Amino acid sequence: MFKVTGSINEEICTLRYSGGILTGDAVAIEKARKENKKNYGYLGATPSGISKNYLRKELPANDLITRFVFDVVTEEKNDWQEPSPDAIF
């Protein structure tokens, strides 16, 4: 689950993603669905990244939304575990 707040065409909007379902402001949902139809190559963390229907999985959906839906992201919240301090990326 994640939630992103930011601006789209100078309008403050919020999108929530949980279990493959988008909720929030209609402008943001419409833009996310429109951007989802474009080919951006692989989005999300590899190897779980996908190259089409980005809204099908959480990490690619987050990548699409934060990079291509909002003009400016002002707040992000998620329920993901923090990586181990020993993690290597």
Side-chain angles (χ1 to χ4, degrees), residues 45-72:
T46 305
S48 65
I50 57 175
S51 62
K52 58 184 174 180
N53 193 10
Y54 305 109
L55 296 175
R56 191 177 80 229
K57 292 188 178 181
E58 190 169 56
L59 291 178
N62 181 264
D63 202 6
L64 176 80
I65 289 166
T66 57
R67 291 175 59 194
F68 301 108
V69 173
F70 288 93
D71 301 326
V72 176

Short mmCIF file of all heavy atoms in Angstrom, two decimals, residues 45-72:
data_model
loop_
_atom_site.label_atom_id
_atom_site.label_comp_id
_atom_site.label_asym_id
_atom_site.label_seq_id
_atom_site.Cartn_x
_atom_site.Cartn_y
_atom_site.Cartn_z
N ALA A 45 11.42 -2.07 -9.21
CA ALA A 45 12.71 -2.66 -8.84
C ALA A 45 12.94 -3.93 -9.64
O ALA A 45 12.10 -4.81 -9.68
CB ALA A 45 12.73 -2.97 -7.36
N THR A 46 14.07 -4.00 -10.29
CA THR A 46 14.43 -5.20 -11.04
C THR A 46 14.87 -6.25 -10.04
O THR A 46 15.52 -5.90 -9.07
CB THR A 46 15.58 -4.86 -12.03
OG1 THR A 46 15.15 -3.77 -12.82
CG2 THR A 46 15.94 -5.99 -12.91
N PRO A 47 14.56 -7.52 -10.14
CA PRO A 47 13.97 -8.18 -11.29
C PRO A 47 12.44 -8.19 -11.30
O PRO A 47 11.84 -8.78 -12.18
CB PRO A 47 14.50 -9.60 -11.19
CG PRO A 47 14.64 -9.83 -9.74
CD PRO A 47 15.03 -8.49 -9.15
N SER A 48 11.80 -7.56 -10.32
CA SER A 48 10.34 -7.58 -10.31
C SER A 48 9.73 -6.50 -11.18
O SER A 48 8.52 -6.40 -11.28
CB SER A 48 9.82 -7.45 -8.88
OG SER A 48 10.16 -6.18 -8.36
N GLY A 49 10.56 -5.69 -11.82
CA GLY A 49 10.06 -4.64 -12.69
C GLY A 49 9.32 -5.23 -13.88
O GLY A 49 9.60 -6.33 -14.31
N ILE A 50 8.35 -4.50 -14.38
CA ILE A 50 7.57 -4.97 -15.52
C ILE A 50 7.58 -3.90 -16.60
O ILE A 50 7.83 -2.73 -16.33
CB ILE A 50 6.13 -5.36 -15.13
CG1 ILE A 50 5.40 -4.22 -14.45
CG2 ILE A 50 6.14 -6.59 -14.25
CD1 ILE A 50 3.95 -4.51 -14.15
N SER A 51 7.30 -4.30 -17.83
CA SER A 51 7.39 -3.37 -18.95
C SER A 51 6.04 -3.03 -19.58
O SER A 51 6.00 -2.38 -20.61
CB SER A 51 8.32 -3.95 -20.02
OG SER A 51 7.80 -5.16 -20.52
N LYS A 52 4.94 -3.48 -19.00
CA LYS A 52 3.61 -3.08 -19.46
C LYS A 52 2.62 -3.29 -18.33
O LYS A 52 2.91 -4.03 -17.39
CB LYS A 52 3.19 -3.85 -20.71
CG LYS A 52 3.17 -5.36 -20.55
CD LYS A 52 2.84 -6.02 -21.86
CE LYS A 52 2.96 -7.53 -21.70
NZ LYS A 52 2.66 -8.23 -22.92
N ASN A 53 1.49 -2.64 -18.40
CA ASN A 53 0.49 -2.65 -17.33
C ASN A 53 1.15 -2.43 -15.97
O ASN A 53 1.09 -3.26 -15.08
CB ASN A 53 -0.33 -3.95 -17.34
CG ASN A 53 -1.56 -3.82 -16.46
OD1 ASN A 53 -1.91 -2.74 -15.99
ND2 ASN A 53 -2.23 -4.93 -16.23
N TYR A 54 1.80 -1.29 -15.84
CA TYR A 54 2.56 -0.95 -14.65
C TYR A 54 1.70 -0.92 -13.39
O TYR A 54 2.21 -1.13 -12.29
CB TYR A 54 3.24 0.41 -14.83
CG TYR A 54 4.09 0.48 -16.06
CD1 TYR A 54 3.71 1.25 -17.16
CD2 TYR A 54 5.29 -0.21 -16.15
CE1 TYR A 54 4.50 1.33 -18.30
CE2 TYR A 54 6.09 -0.14 -17.29
CZ TYR A 54 5.69 0.62 -18.35
OH TYR A 54 6.47 0.69 -19.47
N LEU A 55 0.42 -0.67 -13.54
CA LEU A 55 -0.46 -0.58 -12.37
C LEU A 55 -0.83 -1.95 -11.81
O LEU A 55 -1.50 -2.03 -10.79
CB LEU A 55 -1.72 0.22 -12.73
CG LEU A 55 -1.47 1.68 -13.09
CD1 LEU A 55 -2.78 2.34 -13.54
CD2 LEU A 55 -0.84 2.44 -11.93
N ARG A 56 -0.36 -3.01 -12.43
CA ARG A 56 -0.68 -4.36 -11.97
C ARG A 56 0.07 -4.73 -10.70
O ARG A 56 -0.44 -5.49 -9.88
CB ARG A 56 -0.37 -5.36 -13.08
CG ARG A 56 -0.90 -6.75 -12.82
CD ARG A 56 -0.63 -7.69 -13.97
NE ARG A 56 0.76 -8.15 -13.88
CZ ARG A 56 1.63 -8.15 -14.87
NH1 ARG A 56 1.29 -7.71 -16.06
NH2 ARG A 56 2.86 -8.59 -14.70
N LYS A 57 1.28 -4.18 -10.52
CA LYS A 57 2.10 -4.51 -9.35
C LYS A 57 2.50 -3.23 -8.62
O LYS A 57 2.69 -2.19 -9.23
CB LYS A 57 3.35 -5.29 -9.76
CG LYS A 57 3.04 -6.67 -10.28
CD LYS A 57 4.33 -7.43 -10.49
CE LYS A 57 4.05 -8.85 -10.96
NZ LYS A 57 5.30 -9.58 -11.15
N GLU A 58 2.69 -3.36 -7.32
CA GLU A 58 2.89 -2.19 -6.47
C GLU A 58 4.16 -1.38 -6.77
O GLU A 58 4.08 -0.15 -6.90
CB GLU A 58 2.92 -2.64 -5.00
CG GLU A 58 2.87 -1.50 -4.03
CD GLU A 58 2.61 -1.97 -2.63
OE1 GLU A 58 3.39 -2.81 -2.13
OE2 GLU A 58 1.64 -1.50 -2.04
N LEU A 59 5.31 -2.00 -6.89
CA LEU A 59 6.54 -1.23 -7.12
C LEU A 59 6.56 -0.53 -8.49
O LEU A 59 6.89 0.66 -8.56
CB LEU A 59 7.78 -2.11 -6.94
CG LEU A 59 8.05 -2.55 -5.50
CD1 LEU A 59 9.27 -3.45 -5.45
CD2 LEU A 59 8.23 -1.36 -4.59
N PRO A 60 6.18 -1.21 -9.58
CA PRO A 60 6.09 -0.49 -10.85
C PRO A 60 5.03 0.62 -10.82
O PRO A 60 5.23 1.68 -11.41
CB PRO A 60 5.74 -1.57 -11.86
CG PRO A 60 6.24 -2.83 -11.25
CD PRO A 60 6.04 -2.65 -9.78
N ALA A 61 3.93 0.38 -10.12
CA ALA A 61 2.88 1.40 -10.01
C ALA A 61 3.42 2.63 -9.28
O ALA A 61 3.20 3.77 -9.70
CB ALA A 61 1.66 0.85 -9.28
N ASN A 62 4.16 2.41 -8.20
CA ASN A 62 4.75 3.53 -7.46
C ASN A 62 5.73 4.29 -8.33
O ASN A 62 5.73 5.53 -8.35
CB ASN A 62 5.44 3.02 -6.20
CG ASN A 62 6.03 4.14 -5.40
OD1 ASN A 62 7.22 4.43 -5.52
ND2 ASN A 62 5.22 4.77 -4.57
N ASP A 63 6.54 3.58 -9.08
CA ASP A 63 7.52 4.22 -9.97
C ASP A 63 6.80 5.06 -11.04
O ASP A 63 7.15 6.21 -11.27
CB ASP A 63 8.37 3.13 -10.62
CG ASP A 63 9.71 3.63 -11.13
OD1 ASP A 63 10.06 4.81 -10.90
OD2 ASP A 63 10.42 2.83 -11.76
N LEU A 64 5.77 4.49 -11.67
CA LEU A 64 5.00 5.21 -12.69
C LEU A 64 4.37 6.47 -12.11
O LEU A 64 4.47 7.57 -12.68
CB LEU A 64 3.91 4.30 -13.27
CG LEU A 64 2.98 4.97 -14.27
CD1 LEU A 64 3.64 5.05 -15.64
CD2 LEU A 64 1.65 4.23 -14.37
N ILE A 65 3.73 6.32 -10.97
CA ILE A 65 2.98 7.43 -10.37
C ILE A 65 3.91 8.55 -9.92
O ILE A 65 3.65 9.73 -10.19
CB ILE A 65 2.09 6.91 -9.22
CG1 ILE A 65 0.93 6.10 -9.82
CG2 ILE A 65 1.59 8.05 -8.34
CD1 ILE A 65 0.17 5.26 -8.82
N THR A 66 5.00 8.21 -9.25
CA THR A 66 5.89 9.27 -8.75
C THR A 66 6.69 9.93 -9.87
O THR A 66 7.02 11.10 -9.76
CB THR A 66 6.85 8.74 -7.67
OG1 THR A 66 7.61 7.64 -8.19
CG2 THR A 66 6.08 8.31 -6.43
N ARG A 67 6.97 9.21 -10.94
CA ARG A 67 7.79 9.77 -12.02
C ARG A 67 7.00 10.43 -13.14
O ARG A 67 7.45 11.40 -13.74
CB ARG A 67 8.68 8.69 -12.61
CG ARG A 67 9.76 8.23 -11.65
CD ARG A 67 10.56 7.08 -12.17
NE ARG A 67 11.22 7.43 -13.42
CZ ARG A 67 11.78 6.53 -14.22
NH1 ARG A 67 11.76 5.26 -13.92
NH2 ARG A 67 12.35 6.91 -15.34
N PHE A 68 5.80 9.90 -13.44
CA PHE A 68 5.10 10.34 -14.66
C PHE A 68 3.69 10.90 -14.43
O PHE A 68 3.13 11.50 -15.34
CB PHE A 68 5.05 9.20 -15.67
CG PHE A 68 6.41 8.69 -16.06
CD1 PHE A 68 6.85 7.46 -15.63
CD2 PHE A 68 7.26 9.47 -16.83
CE1 PHE A 68 8.11 6.99 -15.97
CE2 PHE A 68 8.52 9.02 -17.18
CZ PHE A 68 8.95 7.78 -16.74
N VAL A 69 3.11 10.69 -13.27
CA VAL A 69 1.75 11.18 -13.03
C VAL A 69 1.78 12.57 -12.40
O VAL A 69 1.13 13.50 -12.88
CB VAL A 69 0.93 10.20 -12.17
CG1 VAL A 69 -0.42 10.80 -11.80
CG2 VAL A 69 0.74 8.88 -12.92
N PHE A 70 2.57 12.73 -11.35
CA PHE A 70 2.63 14.01 -10.65
C PHE A 70 3.72 14.90 -11.24
O PHE A 70 4.81 14.44 -11.56
CB PHE A 70 2.89 13.79 -9.16
CG PHE A 70 1.71 13.21 -8.43
CD1 PHE A 70 1.58 11.85 -8.27
CD2 PHE A 70 0.73 14.04 -7.92
CE1 PHE A 70 0.49 11.31 -7.61
CE2 PHE A 70 -0.37 13.52 -7.25
CZ PHE A 70 -0.49 12.15 -7.10
N ASP A 71 3.42 16.20 -11.36
CA ASP A 71 4.44 17.16 -11.77
C ASP A 71 5.46 17.34 -10.65
O ASP A 71 6.66 17.41 -10.89
CB ASP A 71 3.80 18.51 -12.12
CG ASP A 71 2.78 18.40 -13.24
OD1 ASP A 71 2.97 17.56 -14.15
OD2 ASP A 71 1.77 19.14 -13.19
N VAL A 72 4.95 17.43 -9.41
CA VAL A 72 5.79 17.55 -8.22
C VAL A 72 5.17 16.67 -7.14
O VAL A 72 3.97 16.76 -6.87
CB VAL A 72 5.85 19.01 -7.71
CG1 VAL A 72 6.64 19.10 -6.41
CG2 VAL A 72 6.44 19.92 -8.76
#
